[in-house]
């Protein structure tokens, strides 16, 4: 399978950004871990990160017909980007939304995801493992254990 991992604003600062919440592993180490995991499962995986809403929308559009699945952590855009919601609805690529932290244990504004309705499902609070769990789901759904 071909996977596109999309990370939104501030996730490039993983490892440095609020490590008590997001952990000490860097964005680069996350990408390496996911690429290695995909390769071990006969799959291909690209990582994309942007702090800009339009660039994320372009990446979603570009995934259509190219990738089999998207795993996306939209960062704070989760809570207010109707444009990302619409982009997910416009393409034919299934997406799982991932949050590193348990957003429901945090501020009220993080409890609502406007983007999750366009996703197969949402994973939160499992740390970086959440991305791998999403990939595992898609592999299993596609009959590749
Ligand atoms: C996050 C949770 C969001 O509320 C926050 O704005 C982020 C990261 C997470 O991975 O837990 O940037 O998506």
């Amino acid at each position: 399978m071909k996977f596109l991992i999309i990370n939104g604003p501030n996730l490039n600062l993983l490892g440095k950004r609020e490590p008590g919440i997001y952990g000490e592993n860097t964005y680069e180490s996350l990408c390496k871990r996911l690429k290695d995991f995909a390769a071990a499962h006969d799959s291909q995986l690209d990582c994309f990160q942007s702090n800009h809403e339009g660039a994320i929308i372009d990446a979603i559009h570009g995934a259509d017909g190219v990738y089999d699945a998207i795993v996306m952590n939209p960062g704070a855009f989760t809570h207010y980007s109707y444009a990302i919601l619409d982009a997910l609805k416009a393409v034919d690529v299934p997406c799982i939304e991932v949050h590193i932290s348990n957003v429901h244990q945090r501020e009220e504004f993080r409890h609502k995801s406007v983007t999750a309705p366009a996703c197969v499902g949402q994973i939160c609070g499992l740390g970086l493992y959440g991305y791998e769990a999403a990939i595992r789901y898609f592999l299993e759904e596609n009959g590749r254990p």
Side-chain angles (χ1 to χ4, degrees):
M1 290 187 76
K2 269 192 89 175
F3 294 98
L4 178 62
I5 311 301
I6 301 179
N7 277 287
N10 302 307
L11 291 159
N12 54 314
L13 296 184
L14 278 179
K16 170 182 187 338
R17 172 194 188 198
E18 300 184 90
I21 296 175
Y22 299 112
E24 302 207 332
N25 292 307
T26 62
Y27 172 73
E28 289 71 25
S29 72
L30 169 66
C31 291
K32 188 186 176 318
R33 169 180 170 174
L34 298 178
K35 273 177 190 283
D36 289 350
F37 181 77
H41 291 81
D42 210 17
S43 291
Q44 222 180 303
L45 181 147
D46 293 317
C47 286
F48 175 80
Q49 189 279 330
S50 178
N51 296 318
H52 306 278
E53 188 178 25
I56 292 170
I57 292 165
D58 289 343
I60 294 168
H61 293 177
D64 212 3
V66 176
Y67 292 94
D68 299 306
I70 296 172
V71 175
M72 174 163 62
N73 182 346
F77 286 142
T78 304
H79 314 301
Y80 64 91
S81 177
Y82 299 113
I84 291 178
L85 168 71
D86 286 346
L88 289 171
K89 285 181 173 174
V91 299
D92 240 355
V93 191
C95 178
I96 293 179
E97 180 169 303
V98 171
H99 299 288
I100 298 164
S101 65
N102 183 341
V103 285
H104 302 290
Q105 290 174 344
R106 302 179 63 195
E107 304 95 316
E108 186 93 32
F109 77 88
R110 297 188 203 274
H111 299 180
K112 167 95 182 153
S113 168
V114 303
T115 47
C119 296
V120 178
Q122 187 199 48
I123 295 168
C124 82
L126 304 188
L128 300 186
Y129 175 72
Y131 295 87
E132 192 180 302
I135 296 167
R136 279 183 188 277
Y137 169 83
F138 282 124
L139 288 169
E140 197 169 311
E141 270 298 285
N142 285 272
R144 298 162 197 229

